[in-house]
Each structure stands twice: as C-alpha cells, then as structure tokens.
Amino acid sequence: MTRSNRDTIFQPILPGSVIGVLGSGQLGRMFAIAARRMGYRVHTFSPETDTPTGQVADVEIKAHYDDLIAVRGFASDVDVVTFEFENVPAATAQAAAECAPVRPSGSVLHITQNRLREKAFLRDHGFPVTPFKAVSSLEDLEAGLNEFGCPAVLKTAGFGYDGKGQTKITSADQAEAALASAGRQEMILEAWVDFALELSVIGARGIDGSFTQWGVIRNDHHNHILDVSIAPADLSRGITQEAIAIARAALEQLDVVGVLCVEFFLTAGGKLLINELAPRPHNSGHLTFDACVTSQFEQQLRAVCGLPLGSTELLRPAAMANLLGDLWPSVRGEAGEPDWAAALTSPNVKLHLYGKLTPKPGRKMGHLTAMAESAGEAAALVRKAREALSGAGKP
Ligand code: AMP
C-alpha cells in the first residue's frame, strides 16, 4: 500500500505504536512523558545526545536534519512523525513524509518557520497582524520606517524566537546600523505595537477537524523571553471569544493536525493582533500539564494519532514561571544549586526540570506551576516560589 493510500484509509495509531519526534528539547520531553504514560514508544531525532527528550525517549537518534538518509531511516521505524522544533528544513519534513505520516504537515512548518511567510499568510487570509514589510536593502528599510514611523522592529525572517534576531529602531538614523548588525539575511520590518497585554490561545485539531482550546492565557515577558503565564487571563467575554475564534480559524485555515499556539498582542484600545504562530505545544501551555484534564502534550499525541481529543477543562486557576539558567549559582561563578525544597514549601507548587546539563543565562532549564483559588493568587504564589529558589525573602 502506498503512503497516500495509508493516509486516506485512516486507522487510529494505538497505544504500543511508535511516535517519532523531530527535535529533542523540553517540549519533546513533556510530549514523550505524556506518550509513554499512554503506552506509546517514542523515538527522537536531533543533532545532539543526552537531550531533554532523549533522556525520556525509548530511542535517541543523533544526526543532522539535512542527513536525509538518516531522516528516512528514523521515519521508517515509527508510525507517525511529529515535531517539537519548527526550524526543521522543509526537505527534512518531506523526506520523513515519504516513510510515515507527518503531523502537522510539512506545509504548516514551512509557513510558520519564516516570519515573512507567516505574516503574509495571515494577512492574505484576513487575520489581524501589525503592518510589516520585507527588507532586503537599506532603501527598503528606510521606506518602511517612513511608512510605519518609529519605533519599529527589524527581525530576521527565519530562526527567530525569544526576541533573538530582533532590533528595535527608535529613530531613522539607526537604520544603517540595525541592518548591518543583522548581516546578509532575509529581514522583516514590523510596525511597533504599543500593547497593553500579551496573550496566547493554544488550539488542538484532530484529523476529523475536531477542535479544542485551553482558553486565553496571559503572558508576561522579561527581556523578550516568556517569564510568567497565567490562566485564565482576566479579560472581557468579547475579547476572550474573539481570540478563541481567531485561533480556531488559524488552525482550520492551515489545516493543522496537532497543536498550534497563536500569540497575540492586545492593544490598549482592545484590538487583537497576531504576533506569531507556533505549530506545536507552547511554553505558555506548560501549566496545562498540572492544571487541566488533558495537557497540550497529551492532546498533541491524541491529535497526531487520530484519537478523540481530551477535555481541556482547567481544574484550578494556575500560573507558570520559567526557570532560566540565570537562577543557577554556577552561572554567577558561585557554588551550589537553587534551593528546590524552599520553592516547594507550598503543596500547590509543582516543579518541572528539563534535564539540561549546563545552565546558561536565558536558557530555559525548567518551570514551576502553581494552582490557587484565583489566577492572581496563583501568579503571586509561583513568583514567590521562584524567588525562594535563590534565597530571596529569607529572614
Ligand atoms: P517574538 O520573538 O517575535 O515573539 O518577539 C518577542 C517579544 O518581543 C514579544 O513577545 C514582544 O514582547 C516583543 N515584540 C515583538 N514584536 C513586537 C512589535 N512589533 N511591537 C512591539 N513589541 C514586539
């Protein structure tokens, strides 16, 4: 039977089957934990070993994403391929698709791994985005700054996350330097959004088109990196419903099978703009692991295996705080470990560590989740627990 026939005559991929994960970071680790809990086997593929995903997977393959022979070998040994890292080359997804279903498809990955393609797709399909422009020369950049005014943000079109490859331009005379620091890469200029809040909606879509979401999550960033996520976000019914409707439309328009996160800006005037899409579980959804009936990771598994999607009900208001490498004494040249016991003083705080061996400034090493009676209390509790890690607040 050919691959396309196999996909048309669809059979659910049942427990005991093997899931292949392209990428090997913390998202793959939490996915693998969810998959193994349900009796699946997990193979992971990335250019590294002893990775966050590899440590909990059944098989860890170390090869480069452009080693297409290795990719085909990996995909031939699994029942379905998914990914936890969207910067996988298109040819890799294509080679994998010759040997196993890839969900979400390579075309979702291709659109969302490049800011220009992604923004153009969203704009052309009627989704709200901030004005943007492709930049390949100083003339393009100057024309864009003229059009949008300052400040504006110049970003690399590819391989951007957590504010990497971004420059805020506050006056037109910074244009030349901003372009020079970017090097010879494809760039995008975005009009500055004076946002009141950053929000996300994580959606999951099954092979049959079924859709679930975890409501609107509020995200506070620090130095462009997600710091704390809070659920549910305290918003009007109208904005909540609009954000969910936009997210659903994005998953449907892209024909996603799996999980996709829509990151939004909410302006002071109450307008929602999409900042970006992530075609996989998202950092803002880590709290679903402890606080929801079905986590984003289990839902990704259910979606890519063609199983019915689980309830996304939030059992208690929750908040998540990222633990960056900066919290480790060794990063400051000091001895010792973060004070784990102090952070866990409250029984409503949960600790997740990703098994990364070397803490570095800005590196996501783990997170804490707190549950409470209200989202505000959960946020205060998770921040207090994180402070306790470095001894802050001790008498
Ligand atoms: P990104 O890597 O595009 O998600 O950007 C990281 C963070 O930079 C966002 O979460 C925002 O806090 C900020 N940012 C990105 N683009 C803009 C923009 N056009 N206007 C204002 N802030 C932005």
Side-chain angles (χ1 to χ4, degrees), residues 20-29 42-47 51 53-54 61 65 74 82-86 88:
V21 180
L22 288 169
S24 62
Q26 61 268 22
L27 300 175
R29 180 185 182 91
V42 177
H43 293 194
T44 173
F45 183 107
S46 82
T51 58
T53 310
I61 308 280
Y65 294 115
F74 161 76
T82 188
F83 44 85
E84 66 104 49
F85 170 70
E86 67 264 38
V88 169

Side-chain angles (χ1 to χ4, degrees), residues 307-325:
L307 292 173
L309 301 181
S311 160
T312 54
E313 187 188 345
L314 183 68
L315 298 169
R316 291 184 77 190
M320 183 277 328
N322 270 332
L323 304 180
L324 303 184

Side-chain angles (χ1 to χ4, degrees), residues 59-388:
V59 174
E60 182 176 49
I61 308 280
K62 176 182 190 265
H64 283 282
Y65 294 115
D66 50 14
D67 180 348
L68 300 186
I69 294 171
V71 171
R72 287 191 191 95
F74 161 76
S76 302
D77 284 345
V78 305
D79 295 289
V80 61
V81 172
T82 188
F83 44 85
E84 66 104 49
F85 170 70
E86 67 264 38
N87 288 317
V88 169
T92 307
Q94 219 162 19
E98 290 165 20
C99 310
V102 176
R103 298 180 182 139
S105 69
S107 66
V108 175
L109 200 118
H110 181 69
I111 292 169
T112 55
Q113 69 188 196
N114 178 288
R115 292 183 198 276
L116 265 172
R117 276 200 292 272
E118 178 176 285
K119 284 233 157 57
F121 175 90
L122 291 169
R123 179 197 56 200
D124 296 348
H125 289 86
F127 290 95
V129 288
T130 190
F132 67 95
K133 187 178 165 45
V135 168
S136 54
S137 66
L138 186 59
E139 292 72 52
D140 291 341
L141 180 54
E142 284 171 347
L145 291 172
N146 239 338
E147 193 181 332
F148 306 149
C150 284
V153 196
L154 185 68
K155 303 180 178 178
T156 52
F159 288 94
Y161 62 98
D162 289 346
K164 288 190 171 62
Q166 282 194 30
T167 315
K168 182 176 176 182
I169 301 178
T170 50
S171 77
D173 57 18
Q174 295 168 352
E176 203 166 345
L179 203 57
S181 71
R184 297 172 64 82
Q185 296 181 62
E186 192 185 22
M187 305 293 290
I188 175 173
L189 182 73
E190 293 179 12
W192 184 256
V193 182
D194 200 9
F195 58 82
L197 287 177
E198 292 190 79
L199 308 169
S200 57
V201 176
I202 302 166
R205 193 161 168 270
I207 291 178
D208 58 356
S210 51
F211 175 81
T212 63
Q213 43 74 29
W214 286 264
V216 185
I217 299 169
R218 173 183 161 166
N219 301 316
D220 294 344
H221 290 76
H222 182 65
N223 290 336
H224 297 281
I225 301 177
L226 181 63
D227 185 42
V228 172
S229 290
I230 304 161
D234 183 19
L235 299 166
S236 71
R237 208 176 139 81
I239 289 176
T240 302
Q241 284 178 345
E242 190 189 339
I244 292 169
I246 292 172
R248 180 174 194 153
L251 272 94
E252 285 174 355
Q253 196 62 249
L254 285 161
D255 197 17
V256 170
V257 174
V259 168
L260 178 133
C261 175
V262 182
E263 291 180 40
F264 291 99
F265 296 128
L266 177 68
T267 67
K271 194 171 160 41
L272 285 165
L273 295 169
I274 298 182
N275 174 29
E276 64 177 353
L277 308 177
R280 48 163 173 75
H282 188 259
N283 195 168
S284 62
H286 289 0
L287 54 80
T288 64
F289 219 167
D290 297 308
C292 294
V293 173
T294 309
S295 73
Q296 59 173 351
F297 306 102
E298 181 180 329
Q299 204 77 309
Q300 180 185 14
L301 174 76
R302 287 173 175 243
V304 303
C305 289
L307 292 173
L309 301 181
S311 160
T312 54
E313 187 188 345
L314 183 68
L315 298 169
R316 291 184 77 190
M320 183 277 328
N322 270 332
L323 304 180
L324 303 184
D326 312 63
L327 284 164
W328 268 248
S330 60
V331 167
R332 298 183 297 274
E334 295 163 19
E337 274 280 296
D339 190 344
W340 304 120
L344 296 175
T345 306
S346 163
N348 290 309
V349 172
K350 310 279 276 186
L351 171 67
H352 298 251
L353 289 172
Y354 307 147
K356 296 184 184 177
L357 303 178
T358 320
K360 291 182 195 156
R363 187 171 200 205
K364 290 175 183 168
M365 303 293 291
H367 68 267
L368 295 168
T369 308
M371 269 91 31
E373 290 306 306
S374 71
E377 284 169 63
L381 182 57
V382 85
R383 287 182 199 276
K384 192 169 149 225
R386 185 172 58 182
E387 279 166 21

